[in-house]
Structure formats: structure tokens, C-alpha cells
Amino acid sequence: MIQNTYIILLNYHGISDTTECIQSLLNLSTNNYRIVVVDNSQNNEEWKKLLDFARSESLDYISFNQENDRNYQQQKVVFIKAQENKGFAHGNNLGLKFAMSQEDAWYFWLLNNDTVVRPDSLTELVTYHSQHPETILGSKLLYYHCPDKIQAVGGSFNKNLYISTHIGEGKKYDVLKKDLPKIDYPIGASMFVSRDFIDHVGFLSEDFFLYYEELDWCERGIDEKFVPDWCETSIVYHKEGKSIGSSYKNKKSFFSEVQLFKSRKKFVEKYYSLSFKFYFSSLLLILNRLRKGQFTLANQLIKITFNDVK
């Protein structure tokens, strides 16, 4: 049986990015893949545009509403309409659960919709993973608008402030892997795992609406002896945070900041404890927002820090 990779894309009011990403995936140097697009948008306009695109490009595709996949016959592209937007993890899980139900699904590539890939990016991931099957893999992310610079090759988690930073950010695109620190987790814009990983670790935790889900996945993976890693020959160009109004380097949206703080607290409570160190580090982060004059945001972050979060 052919061992296919199911590529999961989550669309949330990002039709132009999603279609550009699909077009780049259709130019992959291997044919052993399927594309699963989950539409998390809150109206039907995006859904109609996705299907219009599929027809205009004469794609081999099927479309259906959530959990209604009875007519699937190995089409190259699958469009799934989510019933409602329950966050990044839930949307990706819809695609993963569909893919896991297919006998030919051997690998799973979670890819942000605001990315464009090189033709050999998937082949390089599969090749590397076949040599290192115990890994949860990331790609080398380059800035879409500045492709000679790295956005990230993975993340590092600071256990004192409970915040994450990007490894490799701003480095020249051809920096060698041996010259960079080891990663704590792959960036969520490109995460590659095997069926064996899903069997042992499970799906993304839907306790996290946005952010920290890849960290949580890695923590659970490490418990099952999987190792965070990245493939330096798998190149992905990332536009970064377009659908949620966030960027790693630039000012995040109010929504993005709030979700980040909520997920951070849930993650710390799950794997560490809500001790003095958590509250002290949170106040330092809030003081930084106050320093920038973000008073409404700081007030909201204080409420998250000292009250229960959903």
C-alpha cells in the first residue's frame, strides 16, 4: 500500500492565502499526498470561494460538511466545512481525524494556510523522518516577504518566565543546523508527525483555543519518547499570523494577546504549577504592556492571570 502524507490546512477567512498555499502544494515533487482543507470561517462566503477555486482549477476534489465523508474516493483535495470555529486545535483535529480514518495515511503534515512550500519540502520531511522515526518534525521557516532570512526553525521555552521564543529568527537562510541550539518544539506553522505518533500521543488538545497547542503536543510526545526536531532541507515560506492579526516581531492584535495569555496559563497549570513564579512572571509581562500604553489589554491580562479561564 502507498504510504501517503495527509496535509492539513486550516482556513479562517484567509481565502487568498489558502489558495496560494494549495497551488504550491500541487507542485510538490512527490505524488504521495492528499490535501485536507478545513474551513473554520464563520460564514459560507469563504466556503463558496474555496469550492469556486477548486472548480476553476479543475481540481480532483470532494467537499462535505463536518463528519460527513461517506463519498470520499481518494480525491487529491478534500474540503471539510466545520460546523463552528472552536479554535486551531479543534479545526486541525477535524482534518487529522478524517485522515486517520484512511488506510493509506502514514504521515500527517499540519501546515499554516499562510505558507508557500518548495516542491521538495515534503520529500525532505519524509526522507528525514524515515531515518529518525522517533521525531515530531518542523521545517525551516523563512519569511515569505524576506526569503533570505529565517523566521524560525523551532521554539525554545523559558521555564522561568513561561514564554517561548523563536530559534534562528533573523539568521541568514543558509545557516547550518549544527550552528543553532536544539529546539524544544517545532513551530505550529509546519508540524510533521507519523501515524505511530498519533496512535501513541493522540490528537491536539482542544483545551487550547489558540497557542501552546504545539508545546502541549510535544510535551505529551516526549512522555512517549518522541523527540522535537526539524529538517533543515524542508523549506517553507511563512507570511506569519495574518488570519489572527498577529506577528511574532510586530505588535499582536488584542485578540491574539488575550488568547496567548489564556493558553499560557492553561499550559503552566497543566505541566508546572500556578506558583509565585507564574504570577511574578505574568506581572512582568503585564507591566511591559503598561509601559507601551496598552492599558485596556493590561487590565484584561490581569483578569486572566488572577481568575479562572475557559
Side-chain angles (χ1 to χ4, degrees):
M1 179 184 292
I2 294 175
Q3 296 179 348
N4 279 320
T5 298
Y6 277 69
I7 305 170
I8 315 298
L9 301 180
L10 186 61
N11 179 69
Y12 179 74
H13 301 288
I15 186 71
S16 62
D17 289 330
T18 301
T19 53
E20 185 180 7
C21 182
I22 293 172
Q23 287 171 327
S24 76
L25 291 170
L26 293 172
N27 290 320
L28 286 170
S29 57
T30 175
N31 288 319
N32 296 342
Y33 69 93
R34 302 284 184 266
I35 303 170
V36 181
V37 182
V38 178
D39 183 30
N40 242 5
S41 304
Q42 293 171 307
N43 57 52
N44 286 321
E45 287 304 308
E46 291 279 303
W47 181 244
K48 292 176 182 176
K49 289 177 181 177
L50 282 171
L51 301 189
D52 286 344
F53 162 77
R55 286 188 287 266
S56 68
E57 296 291 321
S58 300
L59 299 184
D60 175 27
Y61 80 97
I62 185 172
S63 62
F64 47 82
N65 290 327
Q66 179 180 336
E67 299 178 353
N68 182 24
D69 57 357
R70 287 171 293 179
N71 296 319
Y72 179 59
Q73 297 175 341
Q74 294 295 304
Q75 286 88 347
K76 197 72 172 179
V77 186
V78 178
F79 295 99
I80 302 174
K81 177 62 179 171
Q83 292 176 348
E84 59 181 308
N85 177 20
K86 292 184 178 180
F88 179 88
H90 179 266
N92 276 288
N93 282 345
L94 288 178
L96 283 171
K97 289 173 182 177
F98 167 80
M100 279 290 286
S101 70
Q102 310 307 316
E103 291 184 1
D104 66 323
W106 200 254
Y107 299 108
F108 308 89
W109 190 12
L110 273 62
L111 196 63
N112 268 25
N113 71 313
D114 61 342
T115 59
V116 169
V117 304
R118 282 191 185 175
D120 64 347
S121 56
L122 175 55
T123 301
E124 294 297 327
L125 283 170
V126 172
T127 299
Y128 187 92
H129 193 279
S130 67
Q131 298 165 356
H132 306 86
E134 75 289 350
T135 54
I136 171 174
L137 277 182
S139 301
K140 180 189 283 185
L141 300 177
L142 302 180
Y143 285 110
Y144 177 90
H145 297 292
C146 190
D148 63 333
K149 288 186 178 180
I150 293 175
Q151 182 218 341
V153 299
S156 174
F157 186 66
N158 184 318
K159 295 179 181 179
N160 291 315
L161 293 175
Y162 302 122
I163 59 173
S164 57
T165 54
H166 285 177
I167 293 175
E169 184 192 13
K171 299 280 188 182
K172 201 168 185 304
Y173 75 96
D174 57 357
V175 65
L176 297 178
K177 184 175 182 178
K178 68 180 181 65
D179 295 327
L180 293 171
K182 288 186 177 180
I183 68 171
D184 291 331
Y185 63 95
I187 302 299
S190 175
M191 292 191 292
F192 184 87
V193 299
S194 64
R195 177 179 282 273
D196 185 54
F197 178 91
I198 302 290
D199 284 339
H200 283 84
V201 179
F203 298 105
L204 291 164
S205 172
E206 296 180 15
D207 292 337
F208 303 92
F209 184 86
L210 187 65
Y211 297 118
Y212 281 83
E213 56 281 302
E214 72 265 54
L215 262 167
D216 176 80
W217 224 18
C218 277
E219 287 288 341
R220 288 155 51 204
I222 290 168
D223 287 343
E224 296 291 335
K225 310 305 180 186
F226 289 91
V227 180
D229 199 359
W230 62 284
C231 176
E232 63 181 327
T233 52
S234 174
I235 307 300
V236 173
Y237 302 96
H238 188 205
K239 299 172 189 175
E240 198 182 18
K242 198 169 181 181
S243 67
I244 57 171
S246 75
S247 166
Y248 186 76
K249 293 187 72 175
N250 301 323
K251 180 180 176 181
K252 287 182 170 63
S253 68
F254 186 92
F255 173 81
S256 180
E257 290 263 27
V258 167
Q259 294 304 322
L260 180 63
F261 239 65
K262 284 183 177 180
S263 293
R264 173 179 175 270
K265 184 175 182 180
K266 290 178 180 179
F267 181 81
V268 172
E269 187 172 20
K270 183 174 182 178
Y271 292 103
Y272 301 93
S273 66
L274 299 182
S275 62
F276 171 81
K277 187 165 68 170
F278 165 75
Y279 291 106
F280 182 73
S281 61
S282 298
L283 287 174
L284 288 178
L285 296 171
I286 293 167
L287 284 172
N288 189 46
R289 272 64 171 188
L290 289 171
R291 182 180 61 82
K292 296 177 181 179
Q294 298 171 287
F295 302 112
T296 303
L297 174 61
N299 182 57
Q300 186 64 34
L301 299 187
I302 289 171
K303 291 179 181 178
I304 293 169
T305 301
F306 294 100
N307 295 285
D308 291 336
V309 295
K310 295 180 179 180

